[in-house]
């Protein structure tokens, strides 16, 4: 048994996911760096994504009632989702603690509710444009039985609509709950087919920037070579820390995390759970090599026992 096969059957090698997928001399891996500290929640990214990719409307005219959000979460018809999080400031519990005060991000100012009567509620808005993470070790791709999901030369993960049979194995495999089969009337595009962000594969092939990043007015969504984006993100975190934003941290940028690092990563101002993100995502196929190894050893043990029993019965 080869340790390299069993232990790394579903993990990308040091050269990156595209060479592992068979691409020879691929271009630098592309990705997104989403800096949520400068997201203004305009949803231009959501609109641009739908326009370019022909994604059907999904909650455009409805509000959830719990926030100004109207799409709720990523899904088959929401490939970019801007979360609106109204967060109370725990000033009474942590009086004087810098990290619990509302962060001045240079946004336009306004009078907070209750300022005039002295009963103001301390809060801040956190806004974040979420998207498929295009994992280095993508479990959705690993479990796809038809090859509909594939790794592109840019290191991204894309669904081929005409090959997907709608089995749905990829849906529970995603640790972020991103990919989903589209539901709706038969005339709706790609009903029954797994759908998610393609990182605008067609635009990348033409040397263009993905539609969401192109439309972002604050450059909260940045697109480029993944290595360069990670350096830029590290600099941004250092800048925020020096400015007193102690809670600023990166999410998905660590190549040693449970998905081998994300192709789309984020700068957050609070714990990942605040944004609806799993704190320690794991590719669901991470344990398969160890399971195969144990199953193989168990099978060999059973065959040895059966052989011994057979030989013993002939004496």
């Amino acid at each position: 048994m080869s340790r390299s096969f069993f232990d790394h059957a579903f993990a990308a090698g040091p050269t990156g996911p595209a060479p592992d997928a068979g691409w020879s001399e691929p271009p630098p891996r592309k990705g997104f760096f989403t800096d949520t500290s400068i997201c203004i929640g305009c949803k231009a990214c959501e609109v641009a994504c739908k326009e370019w990719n022909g994604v059907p409307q999904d909650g455009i005219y409805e509000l959830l009632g719990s926030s100004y959000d109207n799409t709720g979460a990523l899904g088959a018809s929401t490939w970019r989702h801007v979360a609106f999080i109204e967060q109370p400031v725990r000033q009474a519990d942590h009086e004087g603690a810098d990290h619990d005060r509302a962060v001045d991000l240079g946004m336009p100012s306004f009078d907070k509710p209750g300022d005039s009567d002295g009963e103001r509620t301390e809060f801040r808005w956190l806004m974040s444009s979420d998207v498929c993470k295009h994992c280095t070790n993508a479990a959705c791709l690993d479990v796809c039985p038809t090859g509909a999901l594939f790794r592109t030369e840019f290191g991204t993960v894309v669904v081929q609509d005409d090959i997907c049979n709608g089995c749905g194995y990829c849906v529970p495999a995603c640790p972020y709950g991103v990919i989903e089969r589209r539901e709706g009337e038969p005339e709706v595009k790609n009903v029954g087919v797994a759908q998610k962000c393609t990182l605008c594969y067609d635009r990348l092939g033409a040397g263009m920037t993905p539609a969401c990043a192109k439309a972002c007015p604050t450059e909260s969504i940045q697109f480029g070579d993944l290595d360069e984006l990670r350096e830029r993100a590290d600099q941004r975190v250092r800048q925020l820390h020096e400015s007193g934003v102690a809670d600023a941290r990166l999410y998905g940028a660590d190549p040693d995390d449970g998905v081998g690092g994300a192709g789309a990563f984020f700068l957050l101002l609070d714990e990942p759970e605040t944004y609806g993100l799993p704190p320690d995502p794991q590719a669901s196929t991470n344990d398969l090599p160890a399971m195969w190894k144990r199953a193989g050893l168990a099978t060999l043990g059973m065959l040895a026992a059966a052989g011994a029993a057979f030989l013993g019965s002939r004496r």
Side-chain angles (χ1 to χ4, degrees):
M1 300 179 193
S2 164
R3 175 179 170 77
S4 60
F5 172 76
F6 278 108
D7 291 346
H8 303 290
F10 294 97
T15 56
D20 269 18
W23 293 97
S24 60
E25 300 182 1
R29 186 179 178 187
K30 304 295 185 186
F32 287 131
F33 163 44
T34 302
D35 182 351
T36 68
S37 70
I38 53 175
C39 177
I40 58 174
C42 67
K43 287 182 175 278
C45 53
E46 285 191 21
V47 175
C49 174
K50 284 182 176 292
E51 285 285 342
W52 181 263
N53 295 292
V55 178
Q57 77 92 5
D58 182 30
I60 297 294
Y61 305 110
E62 302 88 18
L63 290 175
L64 299 179
S66 57
S67 80
Y68 290 108
D69 192 356
N70 62 341
T71 45
L74 291 173
S77 297
T78 304
W79 295 359
R80 267 276 180 192
H81 168 246
V82 179
F84 286 67
I85 303 156
E86 184 176 344
Q87 186 182 56
V89 177
R90 301 180 298 278
Q91 196 168 17
D93 297 335
H94 302 277
E95 192 69 33
D98 288 342
H99 65 278
D100 279 333
R101 291 177 178 165
V103 176
D104 182 4
L105 301 173
M107 302 289 188
S109 60
F110 55 89
D111 291 334
K112 296 178 180 177
D115 258 350
S116 58
D117 56 15
E119 296 180 358
R120 175 164 58 87
T121 301
E122 295 289 345
F123 75 97
R124 66 174 177 175
W125 282 104
L126 296 175
M127 298 173 184
S128 171
S129 180
D130 198 7
V131 72
C132 170
K133 313 305 180 292
H134 295 275
C135 305
T136 301
N137 303 324
C140 62
L141 186 154
D142 293 333
V143 302
C144 179
T146 65
L149 280 150
F150 77 106
R151 182 77 65 179
T152 74
E153 66 271 38
F154 303 106
T156 57
V157 179
V158 172
V159 182
Q160 299 174 91
D161 301 333
D162 57 339
I163 297 178
C164 176
N165 64 2
C167 68
Y169 291 171
C170 55
V171 176
C174 174
Y176 302 99
V178 168
I179 195 165
E180 187 180 62
R181 282 184 300 181
R182 180 169 293 157
E183 298 180 353
E185 299 298 324
E187 61 271 18
V188 176
K189 178 184 175 184
N190 291 333
V191 166
V193 174
Q195 299 283 276
K196 71 171 195 69
C197 161
T198 67
L199 215 139
C200 285
Y201 185 43
D202 51 348
R203 292 177 66 95
L204 264 59
M208 301 168 66
T209 298
C212 57
K214 187 74 174 177
C216 181
T218 64
E219 297 186 351
S220 170
I221 302 172
Q222 301 177 34
F223 164 77
D225 294 351
L226 195 58
D227 290 340
E228 181 185 343
L229 290 176
R230 285 172 174 164
E231 292 177 5
R232 197 183 305 170
D234 288 336
Q235 291 176 4
R236 175 63 175 159
V237 170
R238 284 196 295 272
Q239 179 189 31
L240 287 172
H241 286 175
E242 291 169 1
S243 301
V245 188
D247 286 340
R249 83 283 309 267
L250 296 181
Y251 178 82
D254 182 3
D256 296 322
D257 66 16
V259 299
F265 63 98
F266 303 81
L267 187 153
L268 306 179
L269 297 177
D270 206 327
E271 298 292 340
E273 298 95 317
T274 303
Y275 298 83
L277 296 167
D280 185 23
Q282 299 287 326
S284 56
T285 49
N286 282 348
D287 293 331
L288 279 181
M291 293 169 62
W292 286 352
K293 184 188 292 184
R294 294 191 184 99
L297 292 173
T299 302
L300 289 175
M302 292 175 63
L303 289 174
F310 175 75
L311 293 174
S313 67
R314 292 176 59 87
R315 292 178 179 172

